[in-house]
Short mmCIF file of all heavy atoms in Angstrom, two decimals:
data_model
loop_
_atom_site.label_atom_id
_atom_site.label_comp_id
_atom_site.label_asym_id
_atom_site.label_seq_id
_atom_site.Cartn_x
_atom_site.Cartn_y
_atom_site.Cartn_z
N LEU F 247 -5.08 11.74 38.44
CA LEU F 247 -3.98 12.71 38.54
C LEU F 247 -3.71 13.29 37.16
O LEU F 247 -3.34 12.57 36.24
CB LEU F 247 -2.73 12.02 39.08
CG LEU F 247 -1.47 12.89 39.21
CD1 LEU F 247 -1.71 14.03 40.19
CD2 LEU F 247 -0.28 12.05 39.65
N LYS F 272 -2.29 20.44 39.06
CA LYS F 272 -1.40 21.39 39.74
C LYS F 272 -1.49 22.82 39.19
O LYS F 272 -1.19 23.78 39.90
CB LYS F 272 0.04 20.89 39.71
CG LYS F 272 0.70 20.87 38.35
CD LYS F 272 2.16 20.46 38.50
CE LYS F 272 2.87 20.48 37.14
NZ LYS F 272 4.29 20.14 37.27
N ASP F 293 -0.23 19.47 43.78
CA ASP F 293 0.81 18.73 43.06
C ASP F 293 0.72 17.25 43.45
O ASP F 293 1.06 16.87 44.57
CB ASP F 293 2.20 19.29 43.41
CG ASP F 293 3.30 18.73 42.52
OD1 ASP F 293 3.04 17.69 41.87
OD2 ASP F 293 4.38 19.32 42.47
N GLY F 294 0.27 16.43 42.53
CA GLY F 294 0.08 15.00 42.80
C GLY F 294 1.37 14.24 43.03
O GLY F 294 1.33 13.09 43.48
N ARG F 295 2.52 14.87 42.73
CA ARG F 295 3.80 14.21 43.02
C ARG F 295 4.10 14.22 44.52
O ARG F 295 4.97 13.48 44.99
CB ARG F 295 4.94 14.91 42.26
CG ARG F 295 4.85 14.76 40.74
CD ARG F 295 5.88 15.61 40.04
NE ARG F 295 5.68 17.04 40.31
CZ ARG F 295 6.42 18.00 39.80
NH1 ARG F 295 7.42 17.70 38.99
NH2 ARG F 295 6.18 19.28 40.08
N ASN F 296 3.38 15.08 45.23
CA ASN F 296 3.55 15.18 46.68
C ASN F 296 2.67 14.13 47.36
O ASN F 296 1.44 14.18 47.30
CB ASN F 296 3.14 16.59 47.13
CG ASN F 296 3.43 16.84 48.59
OD1 ASN F 296 3.42 15.92 49.40
ND2 ASN F 296 3.66 18.10 48.93
N PHE F 311 -6.86 4.33 40.88
CA PHE F 311 -6.04 5.53 40.74
C PHE F 311 -5.55 5.58 39.30
O PHE F 311 -4.98 4.61 38.78
CB PHE F 311 -4.84 5.48 41.70
CG PHE F 311 -3.95 6.69 41.62
CD1 PHE F 311 -4.26 7.84 42.33
CD2 PHE F 311 -2.80 6.66 40.84
CE1 PHE F 311 -3.44 8.96 42.26
CE2 PHE F 311 -1.98 7.78 40.76
CZ PHE F 311 -2.29 8.93 41.47
N ALA F 313 -3.32 7.84 36.56
CA ALA F 313 -2.34 8.93 36.40
C ALA F 313 -2.16 9.24 34.92
O ALA F 313 -1.66 8.41 34.16
CB ALA F 313 -1.01 8.54 37.02
N VAL F 314 -2.58 10.45 34.52
CA VAL F 314 -2.55 10.83 33.10
C VAL F 314 -1.93 12.22 32.91
O VAL F 314 -2.38 13.01 32.08
CB VAL F 314 -3.96 10.77 32.46
CG1 VAL F 314 -4.41 9.33 32.25
CG2 VAL F 314 -4.99 11.53 33.30
N THR F 315 -0.89 12.53 33.69
CA THR F 315 -0.17 13.78 33.47
C THR F 315 0.65 13.65 32.19
O THR F 315 0.73 12.57 31.59
CB THR F 315 0.77 14.11 34.64
OG1 THR F 315 1.91 13.21 34.60
CG2 THR F 315 0.07 13.97 35.98
N GLY F 316 1.32 14.73 31.80
CA GLY F 316 2.15 14.67 30.59
C GLY F 316 3.50 14.04 30.82
O GLY F 316 4.31 13.92 29.90
N ASN F 317 3.77 13.58 32.05
CA ASN F 317 5.08 13.01 32.38
C ASN F 317 4.92 11.53 32.75
O ASN F 317 4.29 11.19 33.75
CB ASN F 317 5.69 13.80 33.55
CG ASN F 317 7.11 13.35 33.86
OD1 ASN F 317 7.33 12.25 34.34
ND2 ASN F 317 8.07 14.23 33.61
N SER F 318 5.50 10.65 31.95
CA SER F 318 5.35 9.20 32.16
C SER F 318 5.91 8.76 33.51
O SER F 318 5.30 7.93 34.19
CB SER F 318 6.07 8.43 31.04
OG SER F 318 5.55 8.74 29.78
N GLU F 319 7.06 9.33 33.88
CA GLU F 319 7.69 8.91 35.15
C GLU F 319 6.83 9.31 36.34
O GLU F 319 6.69 8.53 37.30
CB GLU F 319 9.10 9.52 35.26
CG GLU F 319 10.12 8.93 34.30
CD GLU F 319 9.95 9.39 32.86
OE1 GLU F 319 9.27 10.43 32.63
OE2 GLU F 319 10.46 8.72 31.95
N THR F 320 6.24 10.51 36.28
CA THR F 320 5.32 10.94 37.35
C THR F 320 4.15 9.98 37.45
O THR F 320 3.73 9.59 38.55
CB THR F 320 4.81 12.37 37.07
OG1 THR F 320 5.91 13.27 37.10
CG2 THR F 320 3.77 12.79 38.10
N ASN F 321 3.61 9.59 36.30
CA ASN F 321 2.46 8.68 36.30
C ASN F 321 2.81 7.33 36.90
O ASN F 321 2.04 6.77 37.70
CB ASN F 321 1.95 8.49 34.86
CG ASN F 321 1.43 9.78 34.25
OD1 ASN F 321 1.08 10.72 34.98
ND2 ASN F 321 1.36 9.85 32.94
N ILE F 322 3.97 6.80 36.54
CA ILE F 322 4.39 5.50 37.06
C ILE F 322 4.64 5.56 38.57
O ILE F 322 4.16 4.72 39.33
CB ILE F 322 5.66 5.00 36.32
CG1 ILE F 322 5.30 4.60 34.88
CG2 ILE F 322 6.29 3.82 37.05
CD1 ILE F 322 6.49 4.32 34.00
N MET F 323 5.39 6.58 39.00
CA MET F 323 5.73 6.67 40.43
C MET F 323 4.48 6.90 41.29
O MET F 323 4.34 6.31 42.36
CB MET F 323 6.73 7.81 40.66
CG MET F 323 8.10 7.56 40.05
SD MET F 323 8.84 5.98 40.54
CE MET F 323 9.03 6.23 42.30
N SER F 324 3.56 7.73 40.82
CA SER F 324 2.34 7.99 41.62
C SER F 324 1.47 6.73 41.69
O SER F 324 0.82 6.47 42.71
CB SER F 324 1.56 9.17 41.05
OG SER F 324 1.21 8.95 39.70
N CYS F 325 1.47 5.93 40.61
CA CYS F 325 0.73 4.66 40.65
C CYS F 325 1.35 3.68 41.64
O CYS F 325 0.64 2.94 42.33
CB CYS F 325 0.67 4.02 39.26
SG CYS F 325 -0.63 4.70 38.20
N LEU F 326 2.68 3.69 41.73
CA LEU F 326 3.35 2.83 42.71
C LEU F 326 3.02 3.27 44.14
O LEU F 326 2.86 2.43 45.03
CB LEU F 326 4.87 2.86 42.48
CG LEU F 326 5.36 2.19 41.18
CD1 LEU F 326 6.86 2.36 41.02
CD2 LEU F 326 4.99 0.71 41.17
N VAL F 327 2.93 4.58 44.34
CA VAL F 327 2.50 5.10 45.66
C VAL F 327 1.09 4.60 45.97
O VAL F 327 0.80 4.14 47.08
CB VAL F 327 2.55 6.65 45.69
CG1 VAL F 327 1.88 7.18 46.96
CG2 VAL F 327 3.98 7.14 45.60
N ALA F 338 -1.64 3.83 34.41
CA ALA F 338 -0.71 4.93 34.13
C ALA F 338 -0.61 5.17 32.63
O ALA F 338 -0.49 4.22 31.85
CB ALA F 338 0.67 4.61 34.70
N LEU F 339 -0.66 6.43 32.24
CA LEU F 339 -0.45 6.82 30.85
C LEU F 339 1.05 6.97 30.64
O LEU F 339 1.72 7.68 31.39
CB LEU F 339 -1.15 8.14 30.56
CG LEU F 339 -0.95 8.74 29.17
CD1 LEU F 339 -1.74 7.96 28.13
CD2 LEU F 339 -1.37 10.21 29.15
#
Side-chain angles (χ1 to χ4, degrees):
L247 178 62
K272 68 176 182 178
D293 190 344
R295 293 173 298 181
N296 187 330
F311 180 84
V314 287
T315 72
N317 186 292
S318 300
E319 289 75 18
T320 296
N321 296 339
I322 289 170
M323 293 307 296
S324 58
C325 278
L326 291 176
V327 170
L339 176 74

